[in-house]
Amino acid sequence: MNDLSALIADTAAKVFADAALQPDAVIAERIEEAGFRGLLTPEDRGGFGGGLAEACSVMRVLGGEGVSLPLGDLMLGARLEAEAGLGDGAVPLEAVNVEGQSTTAPGGLFAWMISGAPKAIAVVQDRVLVAGPRDDDGLIPSLSGRPMTVADFASGVDAGPAGDWSDERIARWRSIMNAALVAGAVDQCLRLTIDHVTQRQQFGRPLSALQAVQQQVAILAARSAAVSAVVEAAARAGEPGLLASAAAAIQSREAATLAISIAHQLHGAMGVTEEYPLHRYTVLLMECRSRGRRAEAWAERVGRRAVSRGGDRLWSDIVEAA
Amino acid sequence: MSCVNSSGPTGLRAVGDLAIASVDRELVSLRQEVRAFLAAEGGWFARDRARGWNGHDRAFSQRLAAKGWVGLTWPTTYGGGGRSQAERYVVTEELIAAGAPVSAHWAGDRQVGPLLLKFGSEALKREFLPRLARAEITFCLGMSEPGAGSDLASVRTAARPVEGGWRVSGQKIWTSGAQEAEYMVALVRTGTEDDRHRGLSQLIIDLASEGVSIRPIMTMTGEAHFNEVFLDEVFVPSDRLIGAEGQGWAQVSAELAYERSGPERYLSSFAALAEATDRLDDDATPADHAILGAFVAEHFTLRQMSLEVSRQLSEGLNPAVAAAMVKDLGAGLEQAVPPALQALDSAPPNSASALGYLLKSSPAFSLRGGTREVLRGIIAKDLGVR
């Protein structure tokens, strides 16, 4: 983590402290006050001019608090809008998650909301398109209970040319930022689990005295380190390539699934209760598995490219990948 | 914008980035040099590539040494290259990915050299390091015994003090490359068995000494790179002690981060993956491509983790836990690849292919250099759950 990212992580830790216990409107207000919406927006457009590393710092902290907000989409959306000549970055945000599924925008569709109404942003045929929710859908609760809706890009507003932002590039940024959120949440699952197994006594000794328990904790710790390593590498590189983005999606899925299974198994029934914080991370991780392009689809792209380039280039492609 | 309270150390960052960029350029040119060298060597057949660091070819190691790529990080006073860990990492990963036969210099370069530099006497450094850097001699590592595998501290091979040195008796097993080696770094008991860790020392044993017999062990790959080494009253002069008497355990533990985090700990099945990449055709299903692609991505991930450990090593840290994670996840990847690739093929694997070889060699990947269970124990201990 570079110095700037560390500073931003400190700020994020203050902004998101106890965020899971606050109403969405309060978190939204704090996000705006901190200026996180404009984190990725260029400075000459009134933003902070940050990059992927800074965005990942914020996402990781958010994941560590167990708050399931698609802040990455908000930051990326603000940048797209700004670059396409729309959006002043000053409208209050509402905590409504628009997870776009519209058939008119199949690719790098991402979501969010401003200005009192849900709003989704996508790149369709090199144009930035801004859309509201589909009328007939109303709001559907997501796994975390936050309202979610489907965007209607057929009636979207054309904000302007997408510039350097293709569907593919958006999908890559989303994959890395989502992985940062997952990394924060998985790390917290690990911490909670360690605390629990060292304190909880059964058979006259702490659970951690059991080798079967120790080994499960170690498995989770290694996978947590793996997802963090991919995020760190992508953040350092600044612009994620196919391989890093695919690795981020695949590691996120693995780590999320393993964290949910191991943390709950080792917590016993305590883990599913409302009073204990594990459920927040569980639900966040479940939602994260559905965000962005599926891990299988990423893997298929990597496989196709590898086959088309041939076995002799496989190694150099791994080395040169960002 | 108020993301942070200050404007951020942008100037410092720019200077740091420049320094990194210049190092990166040097590494890129070194990498190209190594690739050109390997290309000129002519490459290896898939099955030989799959043998990885067990492949033995001293002439090859000597050609590599002539380029200055053995003992790369050691001080030039001892015949080393005086170069950085990052440079060694580049050379090592290119060799391993290409499946080059490195075993003639492998133990010396990876472990014995750093061990001697850290703990060896001046005389030992002068005697062995220059010859190791020229790949003139090969070392093996005498650790496991019939009664001491994962529980290495129960080593029983005993060194009895005699005039001018020790008489060593006992048996080592699973000793890789002993039949090709001139010397062994042996973990032996110089104290009593009650001392456990504190009774262990490391000695350099000349394998040409009287009383040494080496018996190769055939394995299911059809090769014998493991050996049993019998030591019967073998005389070892006192100046062949590495470090201090009774410090063998601490010294071995310090070595392990080097042994556990390198590119060889996740790339063992890479030859089969490259082979499968060439075999998949247009008829392959999306699921086939996804299987292949997920493994490629997993290699990317493990490489990032391994690089991070290497960075920590070069900063003088001891990243034993991060290294254990690399080895545990790396072995998991290496073992997942062969059966998954087997499932992609309609024809049964043949023994001339990388896949055929790796199917048989991979069960041991989570044993060598620390079993999966031991590694996870190390991780758990670090997390305070053991």
Side-chain angles (χ1 to χ4, degrees):
Chain A
M1 193 184 277
N2 64 40
D3 294 342
L4 186 59
S5 293
L7 271 173
I8 288 177
D10 282 348
T11 307
K14 290 181 195 118
V15 170
F16 297 127
D18 287 331
L21 306 174
Q22 302 296 334
D24 286 349
V26 172
I27 309 170
E29 199 177 311
R30 289 193 198 167
I31 287 175
E32 294 297 1
E33 274 173 19
F36 285 154
R37 177 212 289 270
L39 187 71
L40 292 172
T41 305
E43 283 174 287
D44 60 11
R45 299 279 186 164
F48 181 74
L52 190 57
E54 288 76 39
C56 285
S57 289
V58 175
M59 295 302 284
R60 197 186 162 96
V61 173
L62 190 65
E65 291 294 334
V67 181
S68 174
L69 287 177
L71 176 59
D73 289 354
L74 178 70
M75 296 189 291
L76 203 49
R79 174 157 174 178
L80 260 120
E81 277 192 303
E83 289 187 9
L86 197 87
D88 52 12
V91 258
L93 95 90
E94 263 192 14
V96 179
N97 175 10
V98 186
E99 188 63 42
Q101 306 289 336
S102 165
T103 50
T104 54
L109 172 64
F110 63 97
W112 259 52
M113 65 320 268
I114 47 169
S115 192
K119 175 170 155 184
I121 298 164
V123 169
V124 181
Q125 290 167 351
D126 300 329
R127 306 290 295 176
V128 173
L129 224 57
V130 180
R134 218 159 62 192
D135 285 343
D136 53 349
D137 278 308
L139 298 178
I140 322 155
S142 69
L143 285 180
S144 61
R146 293 200 161 82
M148 189 170 79
T149 187
V150 177
D152 179 10
F153 282 91
S155 62
V157 178
D158 179 0
D164 297 335
W165 290 94
S166 62
D167 280 5
E168 181 64 24
R169 188 178 179 205
I170 291 169
R172 290 177 184 182
W173 277 66
R174 290 190 77 200
S175 178
I176 303 298
M177 289 192 290
N178 192 48
L181 189 72
V182 167
V186 167
D187 190 49
Q188 204 55 33
C189 287
L190 176 65
R191 283 166 201 258
L192 287 171
T193 303
I194 291 168
D195 285 350
H196 181 75
V197 300
T198 48
Q199 284 161 22
R200 168 78 171 157
Q201 303 262 331
Q202 286 288 275
F203 311 109
R205 51 193 177 152
L207 288 176
S208 59
L210 301 168
Q211 218 169 39
V213 169
Q214 296 166 6
Q215 299 265 309
Q216 290 298 306
V217 173
I219 290 170
L220 177 52
R223 194 52 74 179
S224 170
V227 67
S228 287
V230 174
V231 172
E232 283 280 310
R236 255 198 311 275
E239 185 63 45
L242 173 62
L243 205 42
S245 311
I250 293 165
Q251 287 305 324
S252 295
R253 180 188 58 181
E254 292 289 308
T257 303
L258 210 56
I260 292 167
S261 133
I262 291 177
H264 277 279
Q265 190 65 22
L266 296 185
H267 271 89
M270 171 70 84
V272 300
T273 61
E274 186 65 34
E275 66 187 79
Y276 190 81
L278 183 61
H279 67 89
R280 290 206 290 270
Y281 302 100
T282 309
V283 173
L284 182 154
L285 290 171
M286 287 169 174
E287 287 193 352
C288 283
R289 283 192 299 219
S290 289
R291 282 205 189 130
R293 189 184 284 161
R294 291 180 313 125
E296 287 300 312
W298 280 113
E300 188 194 331
R301 273 167 202 250
V302 172
R304 279 193 192 285
R305 192 179 69 173
V307 168
S308 76
R309 289 178 57 79
D312 282 346
R313 288 188 189 154
L314 191 59
W315 173 247
S316 54
D317 283 353
I318 289 172
V319 170
E320 274 126 45
Chain B
M1 276 297 143
S2 57
C3 287
V4 291
N5 297 327
S6 79
S7 60
T10 322
L12 283 176
R13 263 210 301 169
V15 172
D17 288 347
L18 274 179
I20 290 166
S22 112
V23 170
D24 282 351
R25 270 197 300 278
E26 278 172 35
L27 293 181
V28 166
S29 86
L30 174 62
R31 191 183 296 281
Q32 282 161 352
E33 217 183 318
V34 177
R35 285 183 185 170
F37 169 82
L38 290 169
E41 287 283 325
W44 294 270
F45 291 115
R47 185 184 180 285
D48 289 333
R49 292 182 60 187
R51 299 178 72 207
W53 34 290
N54 285 320
H56 186 94
D57 181 346
R58 184 170 292 180
F60 170 79
S61 290
Q62 287 175 350
R63 289 194 292 278
L64 202 65
K67 299 288 286 183
W69 295 336
V70 178
L72 195 80
T73 61
W74 308 347
T76 48
T77 28
Y78 303 118
R83 295 164 83 173
S84 69
Q85 286 289 345
E87 287 170 289
R88 180 181 181 272
Y89 194 94
V90 166
V91 172
T92 309
E93 72 172 351
E94 289 299 323
L95 289 171
I96 296 293
V102 294
S103 85
H105 69 277
W106 195 243
D109 184 71
R110 183 176 73 179
Q111 268 156 288
V112 180
L115 177 71
L116 289 177
L117 281 169
K118 199 161 180 192
F119 300 108
S121 67
E122 188 58 30
L124 286 182
K125 288 181 202 169
R126 293 201 177 276
E127 180 178 359
F128 288 105
L129 292 176
R131 288 199 286 160
L132 281 169
R134 291 193 297 266
E136 280 173 18
I137 50 171
T138 296
F139 266 76
C140 62
L141 305 169
M143 304 248 212
S144 297
E145 296 183 4
S150 286
D151 180 16
L152 195 57
S154 49
V155 154
R156 288 171 63 185
T157 293
R160 179 169 55 84
V162 294
E163 196 182 336
W166 288 274
R167 289 277 173 191
V168 178
S169 292
Q171 184 193 344
K172 293 292 176 183
I173 196 167
W174 317 126
T175 315
S176 296
Q179 75 273 50
E180 320 270 13
E182 283 84 12
Y183 297 95
M184 169 194 276
V185 172
L187 184 65
V188 300
R189 190 160 292 283
T190 43
T192 67
E193 291 199 24
D194 293 339
D195 292 340
R196 280 277 292 181
H197 298 96
R198 302 202 52 130
L200 296 171
S201 302
Q202 286 181 296
L203 298 179
I204 295 177
I205 297 181
D206 183 341
L207 296 175
S209 308
E210 200 176 323
V212 176
S213 48
I214 297 171
R215 203 171 65 104
I217 302 168
M218 253 339 218
T219 66
M220 65 178 160
T221 60
E223 303 163 308
H225 62 264
F226 292 143
N227 299 270
E228 289 178 288
V229 180
F230 299 91
L231 303 164
D232 179 17
E233 290 288 293
V234 177
F235 178 70
V236 178
S238 51
D239 60 6
R240 291 286 170 90
L241 171 71
I242 302 175
E245 190 176 327
Q247 288 303 302
W249 182 261
Q251 292 170 197
V252 165
S253 305
E255 267 172 74
L256 289 174
Y258 289 95
E259 191 184 333
R260 285 181 175 154
S261 60
E264 72 277 16
R265 292 307 185 189
Y266 71 93
L267 281 171
S268 301
S269 290
F270 187 73
L273 198 66
E275 201 180 55
T277 302
D278 285 333
R279 229 174 27 246
L280 277 195
D281 52 25
D282 293 343
D283 297 339
T285 66
D288 291 347
H289 282 107
I291 288 169
L292 182 78
F295 284 136
V296 176
E298 185 86 359
H299 275 82
F300 171 85
T301 302
L302 261 300
R303 180 168 185 270
Q304 302 309 321
M305 296 181 79
S306 169
L307 276 170
E308 178 55 32
V309 177
S310 166
R311 272 192 286 270
Q312 293 185 26
L313 281 172
S314 61
E315 284 167 21
L317 304 170
N318 182 10
V321 175
M325 288 178 178
V326 171
K327 184 171 171 345
D328 186 27
L329 289 178
L333 169 61
E334 293 172 340
Q335 291 181 328
V337 167
L341 297 184
Q342 183 181 15
L344 290 184
D345 275 345
S346 47
N350 70 72
S351 61
S353 66
L355 177 58
Y357 180 87
L358 284 163
L359 282 167
K360 292 188 204 170
S361 63
S362 56
F365 291 170
S366 53
L367 301 172
R368 61 186 188 187
T371 66
R372 175 185 296 146
E373 290 74 15
V374 164
L375 296 171
R376 291 177 182 172
I378 290 169
I379 298 166
K381 194 165 191 169
D382 181 68
L383 294 172
V385 287
R386 207 188 112 211

